[in-house]
Amino acid sequence: MKRKRCEMEEATKEKKITMIGSAVEELSVLSIAKTTIVTTETEATTNIINLPLKPLLSFCRLIIQVLDKIGPTMAVLRQDIDQNIKRLEEMWESDPIVYSNLVEIMRKEANEGSSKKPTSCSRAALWLTRAMDFTLALLQRLVKDMSQNMEQAVEESYNLTIKPWHGWISCAAFKVALKLVPNNNTFINVLAGKDESHQMVQDDIRSLISLLIPLLSQLHSILELYEVHKLKSS
């Protein structure tokens, strides 16, 4: 029994070294750490989820790794994610106890009237959420049909989640870079771990999707509560 348990633990460790497996682990940690709080920012008292900042940002870093595998097409979005992570980290570093969660940061900026400024942490959280929206849309397309055209999947995911909020320059740059997207098989192979089949990657992606959907629902509720959910790129 003990030997079998050790073998299972070793198998789990092997699985977690994959990119998708690591993302599932980070989201699992975040899910456990979440707490429900009561806020009275609006006329009616509302229950929202208090999201710990550090595990959220750790997951966003893993999104960057996934986007890297798509190639130069995601360069602008990747850079944007990195900058927004750093902005939120700087706020956290200013007072790790007070700003240990996203809601406290957004409440502070709402009270100061700075939520909609170009360099606000609220805006950073908004664009990180949109990057996660894109990631979710892309993964959902891939898991539905692992053989579909990768360029089409990326373009459709972008059009659905980010394009409505981008300016024409960013949209044009994305359109040009879209031709550099790798084929489907290449992308799946780089996501896979050692000796991991496409079916195993597909199972990992499904696990990630199941955790990402409720997280994004909670993030959008927070963004809407503080009235930053419709901001476009500055």
Side-chain angles (χ1 to χ4, degrees):
M1 181 66 71
K2 184 176 181 181
R3 181 179 178 181
K4 186 176 181 180
R5 185 181 302 164
C6 290
E7 289 175 351
M8 291 176 63
E9 289 175 353
E10 288 300 318
T12 302
K13 289 178 182 178
E14 182 69 21
K15 192 180 181 81
K16 286 180 180 178
I17 67 171
T18 68
M19 201 174 302
I20 299 298
S22 295
V24 170
E25 183 181 16
E26 288 293 342
L27 279 190
S28 297
V29 171
L30 181 59
S31 180
I32 293 171
K34 289 183 303 186
T35 56
T36 302
I37 62 172
V38 176
T39 178
T40 55
E41 260 71 40
T42 58
E43 292 181 4
T45 299
T46 307
N47 291 333
I48 61 173
I49 298 297
N50 206 10
L51 294 172
L53 189 61
K54 294 300 283 185
L56 177 63
L57 297 183
S58 294
F59 173 70
C60 290
R61 285 194 181 89
L62 289 171
I63 289 181
I64 290 179
Q65 295 180 34
V66 174
L67 296 180
D68 279 342
K69 306 308 178 185
I70 300 176
T73 304
M74 294 291 103
V76 174
L77 181 59
R78 182 200 188 285
Q79 183 179 18
D80 185 62
I81 294 172
D82 189 52
Q83 291 174 346
N84 290 326
I85 289 174
K86 290 178 180 177
R87 190 179 304 166
L88 285 163
E89 277 188 331
E90 288 174 0
M91 177 63 80
W92 175 80
E93 289 170 355
S94 69
D95 195 329
I97 296 177
V98 174
Y99 304 126
S100 62
N101 64 80
L102 182 62
V103 173
E104 289 302 327
I105 292 174
M106 295 188 68
R107 179 185 288 120
K108 171 184 181 294
E109 291 187 338
N111 291 337
E112 294 174 347
S114 61
S115 297
K116 299 180 181 181
K117 291 183 177 180
T119 58
S120 72
C121 288
S122 298
R123 192 180 282 268
L126 171 65
W127 281 100
L128 286 177
T129 300
R130 287 172 178 167
M132 285 185 267
D133 285 336
F134 167 81
T135 303
L136 174 62
L138 178 59
L139 293 177
Q140 286 175 322
R141 280 166 172 76
L142 289 177
V143 82
K144 185 177 180 180
D145 180 8
M146 297 287 277
S147 64
Q148 70 176 291
N149 181 274
M150 187 67 182
E151 181 181 330
Q152 181 180 352
V154 171
E155 184 174 21
E156 289 177 353
S157 300
Y158 173 80
N159 290 344
L160 178 66
T161 59
I162 296 178
K163 185 179 180 179
W165 313 107
H166 261 173
W168 70 269
I169 295 178
S170 296
C171 289
F174 175 85
K175 192 70 175 178
V176 172
L178 190 61
K179 302 301 179 183
L180 302 174
V181 170
N183 62 50
N184 177 279
N185 193 60
T186 298
F187 181 67
I188 298 300
N189 284 340
V190 296
L191 290 182
K194 183 180 179 181
D195 301 323
E196 189 172 29
S197 67
H198 281 201
Q199 181 59 53
M200 293 170 71
V201 174
Q202 198 171 17
D203 292 341
D204 284 345
I205 291 175
R206 285 197 179 97
S207 296
L208 180 58
I209 288 172
S210 68
L211 291 167
L212 192 50
I213 288 175
L215 171 64
L216 283 169
S217 176
Q218 292 151 7
L219 280 167
H220 282 291
S221 294
I222 295 170
L223 294 168
E224 188 171 353
L225 177 65
Y226 293 105
E227 299 180 348
V228 295
H229 57 300
K230 294 184 178 180
L231 296 179
K232 293 190 175 184
S233 57
S234 54

